[in-house]
Amino acid sequence: MAILEAPFQLDNNSQPWLPVADGLRRQILAYGPDMMLVRVAFEQGGIGARHQHVHTQITYVESGVFTATVGDDTRVMRAGDVFYAASNVWHSVECLEAGTLLDTFSPMREDFI
């Protein structure tokens, strides 16, 4: 996948889905050096394990129901909800009802490419 130059529109059906863990798969939608957009599909019971990274992350719940933990705060999140994980803050999700998250990272996650 190439870095996108503006203005450019990408057909998300052309982007491959990659397995991440049991019950999770990831689709990189677009990225540049300063930002990345990733779709993550979860089966019910799928877990985004507790982790941290230097990247700032904003996650939008596109569909489904999730328990999200950011730092010491845990909440149930549904379609339309958003959470923010600052750089190096521990965070995780557990999927209660199958769904999809849209993750935005700044800067881009080079480890995903």
Side-chain angles (χ1 to χ4, degrees), residues 36-72:
M36 175 179 266
L37 181 63
V38 178
R39 179 179 287 134
V40 186
F42 286 76
E43 296 174 10
Q44 184 174 351
I47 295 177
R50 185 173 182 263
H51 66 285
Q52 66 178 9
H53 41 71
V54 300
H55 313 86
T56 299
Q57 178 177 339
I58 296 176
T59 295
Y60 173 80
V61 180
E62 185 174 55
S63 63
V65 179
F66 296 82
T67 299
T69 300
V70 179
D72 294 328

